[in-house]
Amino acid sequence: MSKQIKASIKAKASSKTKTAMTTTADKSRKVWLAGLGAFSIAQKQGADLFEVMVSEGQSYQQRSEKVVRKLSNEVANLFESRMQPVRIRLKAIRSDAEAKIEHGLGRVMSYAGIPSKADVDALISRVDKLSRQLRAAK
């Protein structure tokens, strides 16, 4: 090849490399400047942005508390409605158990010769009646 052609090829390659380097450098510089711009804007608007975020946080907290209270009331009502039959059933079981225990204790006490409350009440009633009759006879 001739020297002229070789020089022309080198010049073209060199200009392409320089153009690519210039383009890359420009892009890098633009990215750097964009970062500096974002930092500057954040710095200028930081206090205002902070106040907006605080205000939004308070609003969100109030909305959340309202939803939680509503949900809590719904759960409490649902729980209460589901527990009502259980409470009624437990009350019936308790009454039945108490009656069985009282009956069993009454039988044990009668075997032992210990009077029941009903026996004592009947006796008191008889004594009161006899006392009234004695006072009336005098």
Side-chain angles (χ1 to χ4, degrees), residues 108-136:
V108 168
M109 290 173 73
S110 73
Y111 287 139
I114 301 171
S116 69
K117 182 177 183 325
D119 294 338
V120 171
D121 288 342
L123 217 100
I124 290 172
S125 175
R126 280 181 60 195
V127 168
D128 286 343
K129 185 178 176 185
L130 289 172
S131 293
R132 279 192 301 269
Q133 286 176 351
L134 279 175
R135 272 187 247 135

Side-chain angles (χ1 to χ4, degrees), residues 26-83:
D26 286 343
K27 287 180 182 176
S28 297
R29 180 168 170 71
K30 286 181 180 179
V31 168
W32 172 255
L33 291 174
L36 286 177
F39 180 75
S40 175
I41 289 171
Q43 200 173 29
K44 288 177 186 175
Q45 297 177 350
D48 295 336
L49 183 62
F50 181 76
E51 290 302 319
V52 168
M53 288 189 293
V54 167
S55 174
E56 183 63 27
Q58 288 172 338
S59 173
Y60 181 77
Q61 183 177 8
Q62 289 170 351
R63 290 190 315 263
S64 298
E65 286 174 352
K66 186 176 179 181
V67 168
V68 167
R69 266 187 256 113
K70 181 181 176 187
L71 184 61
S72 175
N73 288 338
E74 289 175 5
V75 168
N77 291 338
L78 179 64
F79 179 77
E80 192 62 35
S81 68
R82 297 277 171 98
M83 286 304 295

